[in-house]
Every structure is written in C-alpha cells, then in structure tokens.
Amino acid sequence: MSTDEHLLGPAEIRDLATRLGVRPTKSWGQNFVIDKGTVRRIVRAAEVGEEDVVLEVGPGLGSLTLALLPQVKHVTAVEIDPVLAGQLPQTVITRAPHLADRLTVLQTDALRVTELPEPQPTALVANLPYNVAVPVVLHLLATVPTLHTVLVMVQLEVAERLAAGPGSKVYGVPSVKANWYAEVTGAGRIGRNVFWPSPNVDSGLVRMVRREPPATSASRQEVFAVIDAAFAQRRKTLRAALSGWAGSPAAAEQALRAAEVDPQARGEVIGVEDFARIAAHRVRS
C-alpha cells in the first residue's frame, strides 16, 4: 500500500463508525478528521521522524494514527472511549499490518496519565478535544519529561491564546503556563469542513518546543499560583490582583518592586520570567 491508500477517507470513517455503532459525542469533544490532506499536513508540521516516539491523545477512529505510523518509531495512543480504543489496533492491522507492532493503545483519560509504557514519547501529536485541550497539554508537559515537541490541533481561539505573547488581547493564563515549558508558535489554520461532524468554529495548529523553565527559586506550583491570581481579574493592577496572594496590597507591591515589575502594570503585559521573579520574592519574604 502507498501512504495514501492506507489512510482513512470520509467514506471509510463513516462506514467504520456505523459498524461500531459510534456516534461522535459532545461530552468527549469528538470531531473525527476525514481529510487525508489534513492528517498529512499535521504530520509534516510536527516535524517528527523515524527516531521519534509519538504520544497521540484522542486518536478516535485512527485517521492521524495511520498517517503517523509510517513516519515514526512508535505511537502510544491514549483513548478514553473504550469502543474506539478496542478498535484502533484492529484498524491498523487491517489497513497497515506491517506497522501494527509500532502501536500501543491505552484506554484511559489523558488527564489521569501519570506514567507511560516504554518507549517513552518524544513528541505529542494530537487532534485534541476542544473542551480539554489546554488542561491536557499542560498536564502532559508536566507529567512526561521526555516530551520535547508538541503539535496539537485545537479550537482556533485556543490556538491563538496558547501562542499569544504579552500585550496581546488574548494573552492569558494558558499563554503564560505554556511558556513555562516551551517556545510556543502558531502553525496554521484548519477549516471546519475537514471534520465529521463539522464543528461550529475553525481550528488551529500549535507547535511547542520544550525549553528549560525560567531560573527561579520558586516552584512551578508557586509560579502558577501567581499567574492564576494575576489573571483572575484582568482589569486590576498587579498590586491589587496579587494582594490576596501576597497577604496585602503592600506585600504585593513589595514583591513586585523586588522583582522589578511595575505594581501598576497588569498581568497581560508581563512574561513568564517576570511571574517567576515575583513568585521567588514572595517565597523569600
């Protein structure tokens, strides 16, 4: 089979879903990719190769899985739906039997993953359910230290938030927390007609390359607590927004000035390094 022939098209996906009695559910955010060109584009954007071990979350009926398997060393697929998790190995055996030994399927919730079987993944590549995209990405970056790169397809609005920098109108908690772990960039826009069922919004690709977190004496949890407090009420100055976190407005101002951050600034204009310095000064006080 050529690369194209073993991929799933619209007719194959609908036939497979009918045979399994699968109806895409909103509760699990299921929108299956039915376009071969889109899955090939995702694999290209992920920049994965024959030495990579890919973690795929929400493989669904296997569209992206089948595009990944010929290009990488192994795919570990995490699928919450027991019917889909049970079917995926059979789909690969049927359509690409020579690649079946490259696949491991785990039937579980990605947000509950604490460890993964060998080989450990080097890349996360996934069409993520819209309703859990940000928590899943942040959880896996925190939990799977071997992940070096991420390429996820998410709701366009979420993609823009994740890739936003300080000063952007959509810069917020997801932007800063993702930046703790990685350099984050937008990697393109995806129309809604490549899915079944078709969602009401466009999607976007986001690429992340892991880097060392900012140097700080504070823990990640302590830095994230500052980020959460700073954006809880976006219109407030940092002096006011962080008063509860610091214990008082005066204590917040002291920490901000020690970190060389303007107390009258707002959270959306400072970067993750600034939040790390603020957290460190609160920890020492």
Side-chain angles (χ1 to χ4, degrees), residues 24 41 99 144 219 222 246 279:
R41 178 181 171 189
L99 301 174
V144 188
S219 68
E222 289 163 341

Side-chain angles (χ1 to χ4, degrees), residues 46-57 65 68-78 101-106 116-126 140 144-151 210:
E47 298 181 7
V48 287
E50 59 186 16
E51 295 303 314
D52 281 301
V53 177
V54 169
L55 175 61
E56 184 187 2
V57 174
T65 315
L68 284 164
L69 285 170
Q71 307 299 327
V72 301
K73 182 178 180 180
H74 198 85
V75 173
T76 298
V78 175
D101 62 349
R102 297 188 187 185
L103 176 68
T104 300
V105 180
L106 305 177
L116 292 165
E118 297 295 335
Q120 291 301 299
T122 58
L124 170 64
V125 184
L140 293 174
V144 188
T146 55
L147 284 179
H148 177 66
T149 60
V150 173
L151 193 287
R210 193 188 284 269

Side-chain angles (χ1 to χ4, degrees), residues 16-173:
L16 184 54
T18 299
R19 183 159 57 80
L20 294 172
V22 168
R23 296 176 67 96
T25 67
K26 285 188 177 180
S27 60
W28 283 342
Q30 290 172 328
N31 295 92
F32 301 128
V33 181
I34 58 174
D35 179 64
K36 295 180 182 181
T38 298
V39 293
R40 289 196 302 266
R41 178 181 171 189
I42 292 169
V43 174
R44 285 197 305 270
E47 298 181 7
V48 287
E50 59 186 16
E51 295 303 314
D52 281 301
V53 177
V54 169
L55 175 61
E56 184 187 2
V57 174
L61 291 166
S63 304
L64 180 57
T65 315
L66 286 164
L68 284 164
L69 285 170
Q71 307 299 327
V72 301
K73 182 178 180 180
H74 198 85
V75 173
T76 298
V78 175
E79 175 57 62
I80 194 172
D81 186 320
V83 173
L84 296 178
Q87 175 61 36
L88 185 57
Q90 298 306 312
T91 299
V92 174
I93 288 170
T94 301
R95 302 192 68 83
H98 60 296
L99 301 174
D101 62 349
R102 297 188 187 185
L103 176 68
T104 300
V105 180
L106 305 177
Q107 194 265 300
T108 188
D109 183 345
L111 288 170
R112 296 178 180 272
V113 167
T114 56
E115 58 182 4
L116 292 165
E118 297 295 335
Q120 291 301 299
T122 58
L124 170 64
V125 184
N127 166 30
L128 288 176
Y130 288 173
N131 51 346
V132 293
V134 171
V136 164
V137 169
L138 294 178
H139 171 70
L140 293 174
L141 283 168
T143 308
V144 188
T146 55
L147 284 179
H148 177 66
T149 60
V150 173
L151 193 287
V152 290
M153 181 160 61
V154 296
Q155 184 176 343
L156 182 61
E157 181 184 352
V158 174
E160 290 171 343
R161 286 180 184 169
L162 283 168
S168 164
K169 289 182 179 179
V170 294
Y171 180 73
V173 171

